[in-house]
Amino acid sequence: MAWDFRTDPDFARELDWIRALVVEEIEPLDLVRQRMSPANWQAVTEPLKQRVKDRGLWAAHLDPELGGQGFGQVKLALMHEILGRTGSAPNIFGNQAPDSGNSELLAVGATDAQKERWLWPLLDGKLTSCFSLTEPHTAGSDPTGIKTAAVRDGDDYVINGHKWFASNASRADFILVFAVTDPDAERHRRASMFVVERGTPGLEIVRNVHTMHHPYDGEATRNLGGHAELRFTDCRVPAENLIGEPGDAFLLAQKRLNGGRIHHAMRWIGQCRRAFDMLCERAVSRTSHGKRLADQQLIQQMVTRSNIEIEAFRLLTLKAAWTWDNEGPKAARQAVSEVKYWGAQILHDVVDRTIQVHGALGYSTDLPLEEMYRLARNFRLADGADEVHIQQIAKMILRRYEAVDGWPTEHVPTRRAAAELQYADWLDLPAPGTAP
């Protein structure tokens, strides 16, 4: 397999521009975001978004015919490595979750009329969206068990059910809802995808569910959509709000998730690098017991292990992106699951070590580490729990092997006997342990 580690010089210049905007303008903006009203937040971010659009970097995850740049996964990965440094950067570049994944789903499954109504305004930043799959009383790792149902009634579907952890639902203009339309169909053809617009009768946004990242209401959630609990009670939507064909929900959901997992992983690398820089700065600045932390063997071990893990994680993610670009998404499935499972743990571990090196300061809110730590824990659950990806990876690997009868393939006596026959004409010494 050919492998080229170089970044195209023209795109490298774009990455430099992205890094400057993120570090110099978006990171400082995130420090005061909670003190802005939604109107002021929009006023200050719209010019930044326009600069991104003028640069040709807006919604770069999409193909050109959809208003994106058609960059491919490797270039997107390198972009997201920078955008991952701070929370608002993906939004200002038009590829924030859940809108980016929802736009990919609509691009694949929506009709022309549906695209006019929802996709184009979403891409232009005029609408926001939500993806609602998870339910409180069914295992999120097995979406074939969902209970929310949509029943055809004339020109409408009537939806009844209970959802939660619907990201951005409390602020979204429309929600993509995963609902069972044919309970007797094959397991992965039971569910369909619907658009439910904000304000539709029967749609109740019960509350935003508090999490480790945002454990209570307050200023921190003023400009964020949260993770909402929803109830659908005889919620009637037109049949024209069905995306794709009945039974297409699983297929559409996979279109939405897999590429996004690469982007998530590269954003985690950006977070890892930011935490790692903090770790190293602390190590060379702080003394303990008469020595710099940098001269303590345990700290050196933290630095070395963190750097190697980040580099290995980065290469594995870029390999997944390269495989997707060159061999297609199906060929990249194993690598995508590997970076999702392993990368979430690496992010957690690097941030954890950095907190440890900073002591009480790292545990406090005077540094961003405690928030990074809380958010990192979520990633071992979001977009497929660790256990699901472990199982999927193992299945994909093991199906490439065949069972053997009798001795294992590497059984030395059996292989030696075959080798003796293969090289019989050249053997002039007795076998070890035999009489001469």
Side-chain angles (χ1 to χ4, degrees):
M1 178 176 68
W3 185 267
D4 191 342
F5 286 91
R6 294 174 298 178
T7 300
D8 175 79
D10 289 338
F11 191 67
R13 284 189 284 273
E14 298 301 313
L15 295 175
D16 290 340
W17 185 87
I18 293 168
R19 183 176 297 277
L21 184 67
V22 168
V23 172
E24 295 170 13
E25 300 191 51
I26 302 177
E27 285 186 22
L29 183 60
D30 266 345
L31 293 173
V32 294
R33 175 176 182 169
Q34 66 187 37
R35 296 171 59 188
M36 296 184 188
S37 66
N40 282 349
W41 176 255
Q42 183 175 3
V44 77
T45 56
E46 283 303 318
L48 295 175
K49 291 178 181 179
Q50 190 59 52
R51 286 165 62 186
V52 171
K53 291 176 182 179
D54 293 343
R55 189 81 182 189
L57 295 170
W58 177 262
H61 59 292
L62 293 171
D63 291 335
E65 61 269 22
L66 298 173
Q69 305 304 314
F71 276 173
Q73 295 298 332
V74 170
K75 287 184 176 180
L76 286 171
L78 295 170
M79 275 186 65
H80 281 280
E81 182 179 15
I82 302 170
L83 301 185
R85 290 180 55 91
T86 192
S88 297
N91 180 277
I92 290 171
F93 279 76
N95 47 32
Q96 72 283 357
D99 291 339
S100 58
N102 291 342
S103 64
E104 291 181 284
L105 186 155
L106 291 171
V108 171
T111 64
D112 289 343
Q114 290 170 335
K115 289 176 182 177
E116 287 291 336
R117 185 169 179 178
W118 297 304
L119 176 60
W120 307 129
L122 181 66
L123 294 178
D124 200 33
K126 292 184 170 64
L127 293 180
T128 61
S129 66
C130 165
F131 183 77
S132 181
L133 168 62
T134 307
E135 298 182 354
H137 304 304
T138 59
S141 297
D142 181 15
T144 62
I146 66 168
K147 305 299 183 186
T148 298
V151 177
R152 184 70 182 256
D153 182 23
D155 292 332
D156 298 329
Y157 280 90
V158 180
I159 303 175
N160 284 281
H162 188 188
K163 300 283 191 181
W164 81 330
F165 265 71
S167 299
N168 200 46
S170 60
R171 296 173 55 85
D173 295 294
F174 67 89
I175 302 170
L176 288 168
V177 179
F178 207 96
V180 173
T181 48
D182 185 357
D184 299 321
E186 185 271 326
R187 291 175 68 239
H188 290 91
R189 296 293 302 172
R190 295 171 63 241
S192 303
M193 193 76 68
F194 297 90
V195 170
V196 179
E197 294 182 307
R198 184 180 186 86
T200 300
L203 164 62
E204 178 190 3
I205 299 174
V206 179
R207 60 176 177 135
N208 268 338
V209 180
H210 297 158
T211 67
M212 290 175 67
H213 189 211
H214 294 294
Y216 47 81
D217 290 327
E219 292 179 347
T221 59
R222 178 182 293 157
N223 294 304
L224 299 173
H227 304 282
E229 180 181 359
L230 311 175
R231 286 192 184 275
F232 297 89
T233 306
D234 295 330
C235 181
R236 186 175 289 270
V237 298
E240 64 193 31
N241 286 28
L242 171 70
I243 303 299
E245 298 296 326
D248 278 355
F250 284 93
L251 176 63
L252 291 169
Q254 284 305 312
K255 296 284 188 182
R256 178 187 185 279
L257 286 172
N258 280 332
R261 286 172 176 145
I262 295 176
H263 310 158
H264 280 312
M266 290 302 286
R267 288 199 286 268
W268 300 342
I269 293 166
Q271 287 278 292
C272 281
R273 275 294 172 197
R274 189 175 180 188
F276 182 71
D277 288 343
M278 296 167 68
L279 188 161
C280 294
E281 180 185 79
R282 183 70 165 182
V284 299
S285 304
R286 190 76 159 182
T287 60
S288 178
H289 297 87
K291 294 171 63 177
R292 295 187 313 162
L293 293 182
D295 298 323
Q296 307 279 2
Q297 188 174 15
L298 285 174
I299 304 301
Q300 292 170 350
Q301 184 183 53
M302 289 183 182
V303 170
T304 299
R305 181 165 186 168
S306 295
N307 188 66
I308 292 172
E309 286 179 343
I310 295 169
E311 285 300 313
F313 174 26
R314 185 175 189 269
L315 287 172
L316 187 62
T317 308
L318 289 172
K319 179 194 173 189
W322 184 93
T323 303
W324 184 301
D325 284 346
N326 289 274
E327 300 176 19
K330 185 176 181 180
R333 284 184 62 199
Q334 179 179 323
V336 171
S337 281
E338 287 170 347
V339 298
K340 166 59 182 70
Y341 156 61
W342 196 58
Q345 187 65 62
I346 296 302
L347 173 61
H348 173 276
D349 291 350
V350 171
V351 173
D352 185 70
R353 292 178 199 128
T354 306
I355 291 173
Q356 194 71 14
V357 170
H358 282 80
L361 179 61
Y363 188 67
S364 77
T365 58
D366 281 6
L367 291 178
L369 290 167
E370 58 84 28
E371 182 179 10
M372 293 164 69
Y373 185 85
R374 287 184 280 117
L375 187 56
R377 187 58 184 87
N378 167 65
F379 296 137
R380 292 185 57 202
L381 296 168
D383 284 354
D386 284 359
E387 293 76 12
V388 173
H389 288 286
I390 290 169
Q391 184 181 53
Q392 185 174 6
I393 293 164
K395 284 182 177 179
M396 286 188 283
I397 292 171
L398 292 173
R399 72 167 61 112
R400 297 197 289 266
Y401 292 82
E402 295 182 2
V404 296
D405 293 325
W407 299 113
T409 301
E410 293 289 344
H411 183 242
V412 171
T414 303
R415 293 194 64 198
R416 182 180 291 120
E420 288 171 348
L421 291 175
Q422 183 177 355
Y423 294 104
D425 292 343
W426 298 90
L427 301 179
D428 50 13
L429 296 174
T434 62

